[in-house]
Amino acid sequence: MRRLFPVTDPTAAEDREWSLDELADAYGYPDGGGPWLRANMVSSLDGAAQHEGRSQPISSDTDMRIFGTLRGLADVVLVGAETVRLEGYRPARAREVFAGRRAAAGQGPAPAIAVVSASLELDFSLPLFAAPLVPTLVLTGAAAPADRIRAAEKAGAEVIIAGDGPGVDPARAVRALAERGLVRLLTEGGPRLLGQFVAAGVLDELCLTVSPTLTAGDAQRIAGGPALAVPERFALASLLEEAGFLFTRYRRI
């Protein structure tokens, strides 16, 4: 892996494998104490966020190492219900390599998973709900079906109401998590959820892997939903490269 931007040390541009500690240093959250929402997504060269419904075919081993590093730094991972179903989400696991870093930051052994769902049509017998290291959170609206809320709570999930209707208000969700001390926020999509965060103006950072692949087809982009009236501008914060994959970080200006 090579650092292409910013290069303050010539040795940073050398092509070598980075340790997980080096990746954790490179992807550290900014200081400040307030909530910080970052997204981690992968896209093919022609803009596909998935191939046949899953992101794995356009990913790489290094992309997955960065995926694990971002989880290792986060307090909570937000994910949409459809992505939970398609990707077969499991609970986040504790990893020894991040244990000291997490303890020093006052974090638990692993990030909580927060599933965003209006209908709560989820299989609460899955390990994500039945056997997590850290209790799974479910974010929904006040008008969500009462029987599904009870089913989620019976399964051991903590239900957080973050909207007045059936769905979740993105800004309110960020505030509700921050009130619980969960300020290092990470979303892994899917595209509809990311689009909601973008539209609400609450996304602070995008970690985008550009995969050197072409898929054609009609796969979703990394963010879906209604277009913004005015495109929001982000600035490049860092750029890494390995085997043709570009690992970018953009921050809101």
Side-chain angles (χ1 to χ4, degrees), residues 138-161:
V138 175
L139 293 164
T140 193
D147 62 324
R148 299 306 297 165
I149 291 177
R150 288 193 296 270
E153 292 174 335
K154 184 177 180 179
E158 179 185 353
V159 177
I160 299 173
I161 303 300

Side-chain angles (χ1 to χ4, degrees), residues 4-6 205-208 210 233-240 246-253:
L4 302 182
F5 178 83
E205 178 180 333
L206 174 63
C207 298
L208 176 64
V210 180
R233 186 74 178 269
F234 278 57
L236 181 65
S238 71
L239 176 61
L240 308 175
L246 297 177
F247 305 99
T248 73
R249 289 177 71 194
Y250 286 89
R251 289 184 173 182
R252 186 209 311 270
I253 295 176

